[in-house]
Amino acid sequence: MPKLVHYRNKCIGCGICYQQQPLYWRMSKKDGKATLLNAVTKKDVQLLTVSEETAEVNLSLIAACPVRVIKLM
């Protein structure tokens, strides 16, 4: 199963991820950065196992991130 990986410490809080996929992302009111919902966080890196279909849907989101802090592994 593929994993969405979000390097939250490098996030600039532009909100493109939330705009494109609001079911998977929220913008933190505390620091303004994106948060990957239902993800496991380890040292400011968020990991979420997703289906193949969900991974394909998120490819455009990954390309849209201006600082490239969202990856698919």
Side-chain angles (χ1 to χ4, degrees):
M1 296 288 277
K3 291 185 184 213
L4 270 177
V5 181
H6 179 232
Y7 297 92
R8 194 170 188 283
N9 60 331
K10 296 178 182 177
C11 178
I12 61 170
C14 73
I16 194 80
C17 52
Y18 175 67
Q19 291 172 5
Q20 288 191 13
Q21 294 290 330
L23 296 176
Y24 290 96
W25 300 91
R26 289 289 181 266
M27 299 306 293
S28 171
K29 291 179 183 177
K30 190 174 184 179
D31 63 6
K33 294 183 178 188
T35 299
L36 181 56
L37 299 175
N38 301 315
V40 175
T41 303
K42 295 181 181 178
K43 295 186 180 181
D44 235 8
V45 176
Q46 297 176 321
L47 303 164
L48 178 66
T49 302
V50 294
S51 68
E52 292 288 338
E53 293 170 1
T54 301
E56 287 183 32
V57 168
N58 280 287
L59 289 177
S60 63
L61 165 76
I62 292 166
C65 179
V67 289
R68 306 288 188 249
V69 297
I70 304 169
K71 309 280 183 196
L72 188 62
M73 298 195 173

